[in-house]
């Protein structure tokens, strides 16, 4: 009995000693993740070994260049958010330093953070096409072999890979190119700041007639496809963590995953419906009318729709949760592509004149539907099917444009502060952004 009591007392004492040692141990940074932000160019999520004093972190941590920012959160994890309306032109050097709620200071850590997306392009190569990436130093390097034609490219929203479809003669093949990249590099630790590509993986064994791709910020992938042997369209869903699933959905056009995940937009004959993905309660919300989803805004639940009217006019609408669509523009021109900042405070609209397809205009519109600025693109032709994409880190648009007389189009950057065109000397078929990892 005495022996058992001594063992119990010894165990209790050991547990108390371990508890005291853990309490006196300095706090540690356990996880640091870069992410997109709805109200600014970029954000960081930080998880510590114990709750930290947010004011201490804000006082002692440093960014170089000293970009305006704020620390958010009351417990653990915390969030560092860069202030809006400031472009990020290079990597940010960070010193993370502060104390926990009991005053114990953490070991300072130094990191390099580069949240800028990279430029990705389908490039003519010999008699075919190749996927290439522009590196931070401005040089281009191939990511794939040369295909007869690359018909679709969709980077996974978490930057972990690129889904693509290639065409050879009359059939298509679906591929996934895994990528290894990180927007964060700890000082003193080995690692490459450049993107590392893995081996191409065939996602479907059979040759396809067509494939439409969509991804979200979680890295999920949705593919609408059909094969000659099937005679019908199939919708396959690859969750970031999990096996392929088949969705029993009927759609009248291309479906799109919501950026934040968990649901998708399905075009139907009656209008656009919002459906939950597998694993969530079944839900269908319908917005009636002849509308197309044009683009998503960074703030959750906001998107731009193009509405088609019986008199052949088109309008651009901003949709927000719990609100009827807000009309921002109405006219007879064709809407080629759109993009928006934050919750639709600024919207960019690329138009083509209905009588003269070479007369293209780029409009900037505010939430009230007022035209703030416009740019005539008379000297440029818009590459059909190439989207307009917005980079909030550098506050610039990306278009694929062709100059009259030129054989190939090229990527064109457009800073939204000026709407002045900055073409890159690179022949491409299509240009888009690769999200950072």
């Amino acid at each position: 009995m005495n022996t058992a009591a001594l063992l119990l007392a010894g165990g209790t004492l050991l547990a108390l000693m371990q508890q005291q040692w853990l309490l006196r141990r300095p706090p540690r940074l356990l996880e640091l993740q870069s992410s997109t932000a709805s109200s600014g160019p970029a954000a960081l999520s930080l998880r510590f070994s114990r709750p930290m004093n947010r004011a201490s972190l804000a006082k002692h941590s440093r960014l170089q260049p000293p970009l305006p920012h704020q620390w958010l959160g009351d417990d653990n994890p915390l969030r560092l958010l860069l202030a809006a309306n400031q472009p990020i032109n290079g990597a940010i050097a960070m010193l993370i330093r502060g104390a926990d709620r009991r005053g114990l200071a953490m070991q300072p850590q130094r990191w390099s953070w580069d949240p800028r997306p990279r430029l990705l392009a389908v490039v003519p190569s010999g008699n075919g096409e190749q996927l290439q990436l522009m590196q931070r130093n401005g040089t281009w390097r191939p990511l794939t072999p040369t295909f007869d034609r690359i018909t679709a490219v969709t980077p996974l929203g978490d930057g972990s890979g690129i889904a693509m479809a290639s065409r050879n003669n009359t059939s298509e093949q679906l591929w996934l190119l895994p990528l290894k990249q990180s927007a964060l590099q700890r000082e003193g630790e080995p690692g490459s700041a450049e993107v590392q590509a893995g081996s191409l993986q065939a996602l479907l064994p059979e040759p396809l007639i067509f494939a439409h791709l969509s991804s979200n910020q979680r890295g999920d992938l949705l593919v609408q496809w059909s094969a000659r042997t099937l005679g019908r369209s199939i919708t396959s869903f690859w969750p970031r963590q999990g096996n392929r699933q088949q969705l029993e959905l009927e759609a009248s056009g291309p479906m799109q995953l919501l950026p934040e995940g968990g649901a998708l937009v399905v075009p139907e004959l009656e209008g656009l419906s919002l459906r939950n993905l597998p694993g969530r309660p079944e839900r269908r919300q319908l917005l009636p009318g002849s509308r197309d989803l044009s683009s998503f805004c960074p703030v959750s639940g906001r998107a731009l729709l193009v509405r088609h009217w019986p008199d052949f006019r088109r309008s651009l609408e901003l949709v927000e949760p719990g609100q009827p669509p807000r009309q921002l523009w109405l006219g007879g021109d064709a809407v080629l592509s759109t993009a928006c900042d934050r919750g639709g405070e600024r919207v960019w609209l690329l138009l083509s004149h209905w009588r003269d397809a070479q007369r293209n205009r780029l409009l900037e519109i505010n939430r009230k539907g007022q035209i703030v600025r416009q740019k005539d693109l008379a000297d440029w032709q818009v590459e059909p099917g190439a989207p307009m994409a917005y980079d909030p880190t550098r506050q610039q648009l990306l278009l694929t444009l062709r100059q009259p007389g030129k054989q190939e189009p090229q990527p064109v950057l457009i800073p939204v502060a000026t709407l002045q065109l900055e073409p890159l000397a690179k022949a491409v078929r299509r240009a888009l952004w690769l999200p950072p990892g």
Side-chain angles (χ1 to χ4, degrees):
M1 188 69 179
N2 291 336
T3 302
L6 287 173
L7 290 174
L8 180 61
T12 303
L13 179 61
L14 179 61
L16 289 173
M17 291 174 62
Q18 289 177 335
Q19 184 181 38
Q20 289 300 312
W21 178 78
L22 289 173
L23 289 174
R24 294 177 182 176
R25 187 181 181 185
R28 293 170 293 128
L29 177 62
L30 300 180
E31 188 176 55
L32 184 62
Q33 288 187 335
S34 177
S35 63
T36 57
S38 60
S39 58
L44 280 177
S45 294
L46 303 94
R47 186 169 65 87
F48 299 89
S49 59
R50 63 170 66 100
M52 299 292 290
N53 184 326
R54 189 181 68 187
S56 175
L57 283 167
K59 179 179 179 181
H60 298 290
S61 298
R62 297 287 184 270
L63 300 183
Q64 186 59 41
L67 301 175
H69 63 280
Q70 58 179 323
W71 289 80
L72 305 174
D74 296 323
D75 202 335
N76 189 21
L78 296 176
R79 190 166 171 85
L80 185 152
L81 179 65
L82 297 180
N85 299 323
Q86 56 176 337
I88 301 172
N89 297 314
I92 302 169
M94 299 189 304
L95 170 64
I96 302 175
R97 182 169 59 186
D100 64 13
R101 291 181 177 178
R102 295 169 306 141
L104 290 178
M106 65 173 286
Q107 183 71 28
Q109 292 192 12
R110 295 184 182 273
W111 291 79
S112 175
W113 178 31
D114 195 341
R116 298 173 298 167
R118 300 169 190 262
L119 189 57
L120 186 69
V122 177
V123 177
S125 175
N127 294 324
E129 296 179 344
Q130 188 179 57
L131 196 61
Q132 294 189 10
L133 179 73
M134 191 173 81
Q135 303 183 105
R136 295 300 190 197
N137 61 7
T139 61
W140 292 81
R141 70 179 177 94
L143 295 179
T144 67
T146 298
F147 297 95
D148 288 351
R149 188 181 170 204
I150 297 176
T151 57
V153 178
T154 296
L156 302 186
D158 63 350
S160 64
I162 302 171
M164 56 180 289
S166 66
R167 177 172 288 275
N168 183 10
N169 296 325
T170 58
S171 64
E172 292 194 6
Q173 183 75 46
L174 185 64
W175 306 92
L176 177 66
L177 179 66
L179 298 178
K180 184 178 181 182
Q181 60 165 327
S182 177
L184 293 157
Q185 298 289 328
R186 186 172 179 178
E187 186 180 85
E189 289 189 353
S192 173
E194 293 299 334
V195 176
Q196 301 176 44
S199 301
L200 272 176
Q201 303 172 5
L203 286 181
L204 294 170
E206 54 266 76
L208 310 179
I209 300 175
F210 75 90
H212 171 75
L213 317 176
S214 176
S215 185
N216 57 27
Q217 293 172 2
R218 297 181 182 180
D220 302 329
L221 175 65
L222 182 80
V223 181
Q224 294 168 266
W225 59 279
S226 178
R228 293 188 184 279
T229 55
L230 296 175
R232 63 188 180 93
S233 176
I234 302 293
T235 302
S236 297
F237 177 64
W238 282 266
R240 183 68 180 91
Q241 303 293 336
N243 298 321
R244 169 187 164 192
Q245 304 173 33
Q246 184 169 317
L247 305 186
E248 300 299 331
L249 292 174
E250 295 291 336
S252 60
M255 292 183 274
Q256 298 287 343
L257 294 173
L258 289 190
E260 60 271 19
L264 72 164
V265 177
V266 180
E268 302 181 20
L269 295 178
E270 305 97 302
L272 292 176
S273 69
L274 184 66
R275 305 284 193 95
N276 279 347
L277 287 170
R280 303 184 65 183
E282 188 172 337
R283 181 184 65 164
R284 177 179 180 266
Q285 293 178 298
L286 181 70
L287 178 63
S290 180
R291 291 178 168 92
D292 297 326
L293 173 63
S294 182
S295 58
F296 290 107
C297 299
V299 174
S300 176
R302 275 71 171 179
L304 296 175
L305 307 180
V306 175
R307 185 171 186 179
H308 304 271
W309 294 90
D311 59 359
F312 301 104
R313 291 184 303 169
R314 299 167 183 85
S315 61
L316 183 69
E317 299 176 335
L318 174 66
V319 292
E320 302 175 279
Q323 300 291 329
R326 179 201 301 262
Q327 182 173 291
L328 301 180
W329 174 87
L330 175 67
D333 290 350
V335 178
L336 301 181
S337 57
T338 64
C340 57
D341 186 21
R342 291 180 282 177
E345 282 75 15
R346 292 189 296 178
V347 169
W348 297 277
L349 176 62
L350 185 60
L351 300 174
S352 176
H353 192 270
W354 68 279
R355 284 184 177 174
D356 183 0
Q358 306 306 320
R359 291 179 56 188
N360 302 311
R361 291 184 300 150
L362 178 63
L363 305 183
E364 180 181 330
I365 304 174
N366 61 22
R367 287 179 61 89
K368 297 179 181 179
Q370 300 168 330
I371 297 177
V372 179
R373 271 176 303 181
Q374 59 180 310
K375 178 72 174 179
D376 188 356
L377 306 182
D379 296 332
W380 295 86
Q381 301 170 10
V382 180
E383 191 65 12
M388 174 167 57
Y390 178 58
D391 170 18
T393 63
R394 284 167 288 200
Q395 297 185 1
Q396 60 185 0
L397 299 167
L398 172 64
L399 286 172
T400 307
L401 302 177
R402 183 196 305 264
Q403 283 185 307
K406 290 290 185 70
Q407 185 177 1
E408 300 288 352
Q410 58 194 116
V412 178
L413 302 175
I414 306 176
V416 298
T418 62
L419 292 189
Q420 296 302 310
L421 276 61
E422 298 179 359
L424 301 181
K426 178 70 172 179
V428 303
R429 302 282 164 80
R430 181 184 178 190
L432 62 162
W433 295 121
L434 173 66

